[in-house]
Amino acid sequence: MKVLLKELKKWSAPATVLLSLYIPPGRPIADVLNNLRQEASISQNIKLKRTRDAVESAISAAIDRLTSIPKVPDNGLVLFCGENFETEEFKCYMFSPPEKVTVYFYRTDKFFHLEFLEDMVEENEVYGLIIVERDTATIGILRGTRIEELEEIEGYVPGKHMMGGQSQRRIDRIIEELYHDFLKEVGEKVNSYFLPYLEEKKLKGILVGGPGYAKNDFYEGDYMEYRLKKLVLEPLIDVGDQGEAGLREMVMKAKDLLKNQKYVEVENLLDEIKYHLAKDDGLVVYGKEEIKKAMDMGALDALIVHEDNEEDSLTKEAEKFGTKVYVINDEVPEAEWIKKTFGGSIGKLRFRIE
């Protein structure tokens, strides 16, 4: 599915000729065919011949494929048909997706409508990430092999002033109110970002970190919605940086709390690969032919493949041999290194081979 979506995203047209059709389970094929024939009739009114022919071809291809099946499968059907004007290539895909189609959707556009499928290929397990300082915070998520920074928040909380007497107490009170207001703002942002994942039952846990006491004040206070607070993983993490660097630091420091999480597994595997490369002990393999040979021998323990280099047949075959396969993108720090140095794929062997 990921490979197909990546291919379909490349398609575009100068006119609304690319057909996208989503059919939910239970919808009679005859009704859908009637709708498509009506659309074909309406397309006769398109003035530009090239556009009219392209739309008619897309609708005709969809009708041909739908007439070949007796009923809509349990998860529904999806069709993408159309001509790539740049290459003059015509394709029509019809398949039942991994999750149920919930809407009936038909449109011809300048691009294929993939938004309903993209959620299906997203990682279902999400971890919330929060770094809190006295006047700065970063909110992000960990999903699969990706860390995404959602927002960096800055507030104004001055340091302590030494004036003495009534003035000192008044200033301290104002500073504490500013500090409380900042933590409250962070909590409201956290709720707005994380509650939708909680409602979708995708949020598996939350990491809270920071360089000082602010992380404890944030966690112990009533700043997060109570259901989110229950998902905070302890202990809280000491983190020196904010932003994306801080999020990565926090995730790697929380390895023990995130066992079996893909990002952590990939980083651990990369550490192992670097170790074996440094030792030059023959337990690292790269290059398509060499990887295939190791896989056929049952020697390939784990494989990292960049999504630009992913071959569906290779990853499926590797999984049959009990090889763990990790598909990464450019958001993994070492992605560029894997692409440029090793051609986009690198593996660790169970044992050395000649």
Side-chain angles (χ1 to χ4, degrees):
M1 179 75 81
K2 285 182 180 178
V3 175
L4 178 58
L5 291 184
K6 186 178 173 184
E7 168 66 22
L8 291 173
K9 277 183 179 180
K10 297 176 184 176
W11 286 57
S12 62
T16 56
V17 300
L18 299 179
L19 180 151
S20 304
L21 176 61
Y22 291 80
I23 309 170
R27 187 88 176 214
I29 291 289
D31 288 356
V32 181
L33 289 170
N34 285 335
N35 288 344
L36 288 175
R37 290 181 182 115
Q38 289 173 9
E39 293 293 337
S41 178
I42 293 170
S43 69
Q44 296 292 321
N45 298 319
I46 298 172
K47 293 181 180 179
L48 291 175
K49 184 179 187 302
R50 177 90 191 271
T51 303
R52 182 173 66 248
D53 290 347
V55 172
E56 288 177 352
S57 295
I59 295 174
S60 177
I63 290 173
D64 286 347
R65 279 154 181 77
L66 285 172
T67 52
S68 67
I69 60 170
K71 71 169 189 173
V72 177
D74 291 341
N75 278 359
L77 271 177
V78 182
L79 288 93
F80 298 107
C81 302
E83 179 186 350
N84 187 329
F85 273 37
E86 289 185 8
T87 62
E88 296 186 349
E89 182 182 16
F90 185 92
K91 285 188 177 180
C92 192
Y93 299 93
M94 181 176 74
F95 57 90
S96 183
E99 296 178 20
K100 283 188 179 181
V101 176
T102 58
V103 294
Y104 181 80
F105 179 91
Y106 167 85
R107 190 165 300 172
T108 51
D109 214 325
K110 294 180 180 180
F111 54 89
F112 289 122
H113 282 266
L114 309 172
E115 57 268 30
F116 303 107
L117 290 178
E118 287 176 327
D119 285 342
M120 296 183 188
V121 297
E122 288 278 5
E123 289 285 341
N124 285 326
E125 290 193 355
V126 175
Y127 286 85
L129 308 174
I130 309 165
I131 302 174
V132 188
E133 291 186 55
R134 187 175 174 81
D135 57 0
T136 314
T138 303
I139 302 172
I141 58 170
L142 171 64
R143 190 206 309 259
T145 60
R146 294 172 51 204
I147 290 177
E148 180 182 350
E149 180 185 323
L150 299 175
E151 186 169 350
E152 196 165 349
I153 309 163
E154 292 187 4
Y156 174 69
V157 183
K160 295 284 184 181
H161 291 266
M162 300 304 293
M163 296 183 66
Q166 288 289 118
S167 295
Q168 179 64 45
R169 287 193 291 275
R170 182 172 61 82
I171 290 173
D172 286 347
R173 191 164 56 248
I174 291 171
I175 290 174
E176 284 306 306
E177 287 176 0
L178 290 171
Y179 178 51
H180 167 76
D181 289 344
F182 176 70
L183 295 184
K184 184 179 177 183
E185 179 189 356
V186 174
E188 289 170 351
K189 295 278 190 180
V190 165
N191 292 342
S192 68
Y193 282 120
F194 293 168
L195 282 174
Y197 291 115
L198 182 71
E199 300 293 344
E200 294 170 7
K201 298 182 179 177
K202 292 181 178 179
L203 190 65
K204 301 302 178 185
I206 297 173
L207 295 179
V208 177
Y213 59 83
K215 63 180 178 291
N216 301 89
D217 292 343
F218 179 76
Y219 172 58
E220 292 166 5
D222 294 324
Y223 299 110
M224 282 186 288
E225 209 258 18
Y226 75 96
R227 291 176 295 171
L228 296 179
K229 192 172 180 178
K230 288 181 179 178
L231 289 176
V232 173
L233 304 175
E234 295 187 78
L236 307 187
I237 313 297
D238 289 325
V239 181
D241 290 324
Q242 288 283 348
E244 188 174 323
L247 296 177
R248 294 189 186 283
E249 179 189 352
M250 182 164 66
V251 168
M252 294 316 295
K253 282 188 172 181
K255 281 183 179 182
D256 291 341
L257 301 175
L258 298 172
K259 288 176 181 175
N260 301 320
Q261 200 284 328
K262 281 188 179 178
Y263 182 89
V264 173
E265 288 186 355
V266 167
E267 289 298 322
N268 287 338
L269 176 56
L270 283 166
D271 286 344
E272 287 187 61
I273 285 172
K274 290 173 186 175
Y275 171 77
H276 291 302
L277 283 171
K279 286 186 68 178
D280 193 21
D281 56 12
L283 290 177
V284 174
V285 63
Y286 49 89
K288 289 179 183 176
E289 293 302 319
E290 290 77 7
I291 288 172
K292 182 77 166 58
K293 176 184 173 184
M295 187 170 60
D296 291 341
M297 295 175 65
L300 189 61
D301 179 43
L303 177 66
I304 296 176
V305 183
H306 192 280
E307 65 179 10
D308 289 347
N309 197 54
E310 184 181 6
E311 292 187 21
D312 195 41
S313 59
L314 180 65
T315 56
K316 280 184 179 177
E317 196 170 345
E319 287 167 351
K320 288 179 184 176
F321 284 91
T323 301
K324 289 184 178 179
V325 180
Y326 301 96
V327 180
I328 64 168
N329 56 26
D330 288 332
E331 293 181 30
V332 172
E334 291 89 347
E336 193 68 16
W337 175 64
I338 290 172
K339 279 200 294 185
K340 287 188 174 180
T341 309
F342 304 104
S345 55
I346 189 167
K348 181 173 76 76
L349 297 176
R350 296 186 175 101
F351 50 86
R352 187 172 176 172
I353 58 175
E354 293 300 326

